[in-house]
Amino acid sequence: MKNHIFIIFAAESKFNLKRTPITRDKNNYIQSAMNREEYVKNAVSLLEKLIATPSVSREENRAADLMEEELRQYGFKTMRDANNVWAMAKDVDTQKPTLLLNAHLDTVKPVSSWTLNPYHPDIVDDKLYGLGSNDCGGGLVSLLQAFRFLTSHEQPYNLIYLATAEEEVTGANGMRRVLPKLPKIDVAIVGEPTGMQPAIAEKGLMVLDIISRGQSGHAARGEGVNAIYEAMEDLNWLCTHKFKKVSPLLGPTLMNVTMINAGTQHNVVPDECHIVVDIRTNEYYENEFVLQYLKKKLKSEVSARSTHLHSSCIPADHPIVARLVKMGKQPYGSPTLSDQSVMTFASLKLGPGESARSHTANEFIHISEIKEAIDTYIKLLDQQPIV
């Protein structure tokens, strides 16, 4: 590692790190005794606090308070809107491009099969257990440590660190709410768990509500028009239709019928059949196009809960992606949704942990994964062009 001079505001934690107030000076950076291991200790300490602070989607206020306090202790001026918290590098140059480092604060609700306390951080060997540790606490705290290092000396870009709310429910008070309040962003790194491999494309999501209508009647006399039977032709089409354009990274656009509900009791012919369809679009199909296409193809009434969760991608020859490839990383396409879906600028997912651990009982992250993430972010971004 190159010898960089940087400012440190060491957080007090169970690691007994001493907080030393240090004054920023843009021309003379004070050498700190903190080494890379101490960055990891600070990251783990914060993640333990976050695990112990329930932050289910739309209830992230205490976790947002924690992030605000942590950023202030490091000497940053914080900004907050609802439960979204962000900070910027001190010196902003409007002639430079801007990089966003983003991860989310919220978690899903713990599943019933947890055998550990999901809100008690447990460290066993190299594993830190706790709800949100993998998705996406590891990325949240690793990006923060990278942000601290990168802002300690001049970079060829402006830098923003953003912790967002409501990612797990794609809520209106998360990324969509805060984006208009940020400066123009040129590129973003989203700290979702990817095993520190770059996910350079991500599938979009659209959920459809489909209603097939019939006419009620007495089942014993065979009266009425059965809405379930009316729906069968549409169900068969949904099950068998294939979209022609297949993405080399994301594969085909997929449709899955995930819920069907009809009828009130056994002897009444149902007059309505309600169907829910989960659609995961690749970059070749806009959600709005798919919605209109299905309205033309199906007899039933079709409506979308939303159309704004688009597929996203970043060019494979983008400078950040190219550097990751030189570092031995393998770009891939991600089937899971993130805050990238509402970003209108280039972005990629790159974070510690594994997607398969997300939303599972006894969720964990390796402490060594956090260390690798901090090292990778710094090597990738320090004194490097981002556009």
Side-chain angles (χ1 to χ4, degrees), residues 87-271:
M88 298 181 63
K90 185 176 180 181
D91 298 317
V92 175
D93 184 344
T94 57
Q95 301 304 309
K96 291 180 179 180
T98 298
L99 169 66
L100 174 67
L101 303 179
N102 164 245
H104 63 88
L105 285 167
D106 61 319
T107 72
V108 295
K109 294 179 180 179
V111 294
S112 60
S113 50
W114 273 82
T115 59
L116 301 170
N117 182 345
Y119 298 114
H120 187 277
D122 291 299
I123 296 179
V124 180
D125 297 324
D126 186 46
K127 292 181 180 178
L128 171 56
Y129 291 90
L131 183 65
S133 56
N134 180 79
D135 184 15
C136 113
L140 188 74
V141 299
S142 299
L143 283 171
L144 176 56
Q145 298 305 317
F147 178 71
R148 290 174 63 196
F149 179 87
L150 294 169
T151 55
S152 68
H153 49 282
E154 187 176 359
Q155 300 292 345
Y157 49 81
N158 301 310
L159 189 59
I160 303 172
Y161 173 82
L162 170 64
T164 42
E166 299 191 9
E167 188 274 346
E168 294 289 3
V169 293
T170 58
N173 288 319
M175 179 64 77
R176 279 189 287 162
R177 174 169 176 153
V178 75
L179 270 182
K181 297 173 172 62
L182 300 179
K184 176 182 175 294
I185 307 296
D186 293 276
V187 64
I189 293 177
V190 180
E192 291 284 333
T194 67
M196 290 309 291
Q197 301 298 328
I200 64 171
E202 175 184 276
K203 278 195 170 180
L205 168 66
M206 182 170 60
V207 179
L208 298 184
D209 290 297
I210 297 175
I211 302 176
S212 176
R213 301 191 186 277
Q215 182 179 340
S216 62
H218 199 298
R221 293 193 292 268
E223 295 173 343
V225 178
N226 194 314
I228 297 175
Y229 299 163
E230 291 296 297
M232 289 178 67
E233 183 180 340
D234 286 346
L235 284 168
N236 183 63
W237 187 90
L238 288 166
C239 292
T240 58
H241 183 73
K242 305 293 183 185
F243 288 92
K244 292 181 180 179
K245 298 178 182 178
V246 178
S247 166
L249 284 169
L250 296 174
T253 289
L254 295 177
M255 294 190 296
N256 276 293
V257 175
T258 54
M259 297 176 69
I260 298 177
N261 184 45
T264 56
Q265 59 189 64
H266 76 90
N267 56 355
V268 177
V269 172
D271 58 359

Side-chain angles (χ1 to χ4, degrees), residues 257-311:
V257 175
T258 54
M259 297 176 69
I260 298 177
N261 184 45
T264 56
Q265 59 189 64
H266 76 90
N267 56 355
V268 177
V269 172
D271 58 359
E272 286 190 358
C273 179
H274 294 254
I275 301 165
V276 176
V277 183
D278 179 290
I279 302 179
R280 305 287 171 153
T281 48
N282 62 25
E283 69 270 30
Y284 297 130
Y285 294 96
E286 291 289 333
N287 289 340
E288 293 85 352
F289 169 83
V290 174
L291 175 60
Q292 296 305 317
Y293 179 69
L294 266 62
K295 283 184 174 182
K296 293 177 182 177
K297 293 292 183 179
L298 303 180
K299 295 190 305 180
S300 306
E301 296 175 14
V302 181
S303 62
R305 296 182 184 179
S306 71
T307 58
H308 68 270
L309 301 176
H310 297 291
S311 173

